[in-house]
């Protein structure tokens, strides 16, 4: 089973769309709120090459920055 982690923040419509996409497709994921989880902001900056953007989706050996649907 693949492990998916979605780095999010509250009020982010792209984060909500990403979570809905994975939920609607029956794909389990772990959500990490960058403002509630210590060290998560730094991890997002590391994963995204310094971009302060969410969602950052990590899974299947890939890192996806942002979410545009699908």
């Amino acid at each position: 089973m693949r492990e998916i982690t979605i780095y999010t923040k509250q009020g982010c419509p792209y984060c909500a769309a990403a979570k809905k996409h994975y939920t609607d497709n029956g794909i389990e994921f772990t959500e990490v709120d960058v403002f509630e989880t210590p060290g998560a902001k730094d991890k997002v900056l590391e994963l995204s090459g310094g971009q302060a953007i969410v969602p950052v989706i990590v899974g299947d050996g890939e890192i996806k920055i942002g979410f545009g649907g699908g």
Side-chain angles (χ1 to χ4, degrees):
M1 177 174 264
R2 58 189 184 166
E3 293 183 27
I4 305 289
T5 302
I6 304 176
Y7 292 88
T8 66
K9 71 175 184 176
Q10 288 187 11
C12 169
Y14 302 104
C15 299
K19 293 187 298 184
K20 181 176 179 349
H21 168 77
Y22 283 93
T23 299
D24 288 353
N25 286 284
I27 301 169
E28 293 184 24
F29 60 88
T30 300
E31 179 179 4
V32 178
D33 186 306
V34 297
F35 289 106
E36 294 182 8
T37 306
K41 286 183 200 176
D42 292 332
K43 185 66 175 177
V44 163
L45 290 172
E46 175 188 324
L47 291 168
S48 68
Q51 297 179 68
I53 187 171
V54 288
V56 173
I57 304 167
V58 181
D60 292 337
E62 294 183 350
I63 300 169
K64 297 179 183 176
I65 311 300
F67 185 79

